Amino acid sequence: MTKSSAVLFILIFSLIFKLEELRAALVLVVVLIAGGLFMFTYKSTQFNAEGFALVLGASFIGGIRWTLTQMLLQKAELGLQNPIDTMFHLQPLMFLGLFPLFAVFEGLHLSTSEKIFRFQDTGLLLRVLGSLFLGGILAFGLGFSEFLLVSRTSSLTLSIAGIFKEVCTLLLAAHLLGDQISLLNWLGFALCLSGISLHIALKALHSRGDSGPKPLKGLGSNPDLELLLRTSQPEEKDNEEEEGYFVAQGQQ
């Protein structure tokens, strides 16, 4: 339930960094999705202040992370529009940030495990390494798709796509594992889907508006296009002179 606040933080930081414009429809989308996800995951649980603070802090930092990532990907002067370039520069820093945590919490266990360093069965070691390699490929593909989505759309769209994934996961858990869904949960599910559908509709209308004919104002800033226009103007004048000559000859 606390994780549902991530989309709110992303919206706040997108407005602060001027990546999004404050619109009533956008606020309505975020409120519907966050409120619906909160209601959909609502259930009686034992409250833990430490866990609440950790998840809320993660949502806050996640909002900063993805809005700054959008700024990096969509600034042409930085040269990081390609997701591979972004991953090349960011992934080493992410590794350095996570490696101390891995070393403290899992390093000793893995170093003394018979599956990795103290292995006795070569086949088991190869299966473990193969699983790690497959997980690395999937993680690379996930990171690439996330950066590509942010570069083409926005961090808010990425967050909404992640929420749709979570909703599908909860539905599968209820269907396969027998989790009980109350009427309040179903109402939250309907609100969440309504917010996601509204966001998709707004994006479709916005993209349709952008695909219309645009004036040629500002196109002269492109040197290649400016050169093309300059070279085409004398040709048009020559064609007009030839047409005028033939018309005069026909009148005579």
Side-chain angles (χ1 to χ4, degrees):
M1 292 184 289
T2 309
K3 191 180 179 183
S4 61
S5 62
V7 66
L8 297 176
F9 287 118
I10 290 180
L11 174 62
I12 292 173
F13 287 111
S14 297
L15 295 175
I16 292 175
F17 295 131
K18 297 181 180 180
L19 298 175
E20 297 284 351
E21 296 180 359
L22 182 59
R23 304 188 306 271
L26 185 62
V27 175
L28 178 61
V29 166
V30 173
V31 171
L32 284 175
I33 292 176
L37 186 62
F38 181 86
M39 294 170 61
F40 186 55
T41 56
Y42 180 81
K43 58 182 179 181
S44 58
T45 182
Q46 185 177 1
F47 179 78
N48 184 280
E50 182 181 358
F52 173 77
L54 287 174
V55 176
L56 190 63
S59 299
F60 179 82
I61 296 174
I64 299 177
R65 174 199 177 192
W66 285 114
T67 49
L68 292 179
T69 301
Q70 181 180 350
M71 293 178 64
L72 288 176
L73 287 169
Q74 295 183 358
K75 281 192 174 182
E77 59 270 17
L78 297 178
L80 296 177
Q81 292 90 347
N82 193 323
I84 299 296
D85 293 334
T86 306
M87 296 177 69
F88 177 80
H89 289 87
L90 292 184
Q91 293 290 11
L93 298 176
M94 296 170 63
F95 171 79
L96 293 177
L98 290 175
F99 185 78
L101 298 175
F102 160 75
V104 171
F105 293 102
E106 298 180 352
L108 181 61
H109 173 70
L110 282 179
S111 62
T112 58
S113 174
E114 295 183 354
K115 294 181 179 180
I116 304 290
F117 296 109
R118 296 179 58 192
F119 71 95
Q120 298 178 356
D121 186 0
T122 306
L124 178 61
L125 175 64
L126 293 177
R127 286 194 297 270
V128 172
L129 293 179
S131 301
L132 291 175
F133 182 73
L134 178 61
I137 293 177
L138 294 177
F140 177 83
L142 177 62
F144 178 82
S145 60
E146 287 177 341
F147 287 132
L148 181 62
L149 181 62
V150 172
S151 66
R152 299 295 178 86
T153 56
S154 65
S155 55
L156 185 62
T157 300
L158 175 67
S159 177
I160 293 175
I163 289 174
F164 181 74
K165 180 262 298 181
E166 292 179 4
V167 169
C168 295
T169 303
L170 293 173
L171 286 177
L172 287 175
H175 179 71
L176 299 177
L177 304 179
D179 293 346
Q180 298 296 325
I181 299 181
S182 63
L183 180 60
L184 181 63
N185 298 143
W186 282 118
L187 180 59
F189 173 72
L191 288 177
C192 189
L193 283 188
S194 300
I196 294 174
S197 302
L198 180 59
H199 178 73
I200 294 174
L202 292 175
K203 280 292 184 181
L205 291 176
H206 181 70
S207 61
R208 182 179 298 178
D210 291 342
S211 62
K214 298 181 180 180
L216 296 178
K217 182 180 179 180
L219 291 180
S221 58
N222 189 338
D224 294 334
L225 185 56
E226 185 177 357
L227 180 61
L228 179 61
L229 291 176
R230 287 179 179 178
T231 54
S232 62
Q233 288 177 355
E235 294 180 358
E236 292 178 355
K237 292 181 180 179
D238 294 340
N239 293 332
E240 291 177 357
E241 292 177 357
E242 291 179 359
E243 291 178 358
Y245 174 76
F246 287 121
V247 169
Q249 292 291 333
Q251 292 178 353
Q252 293 178 359

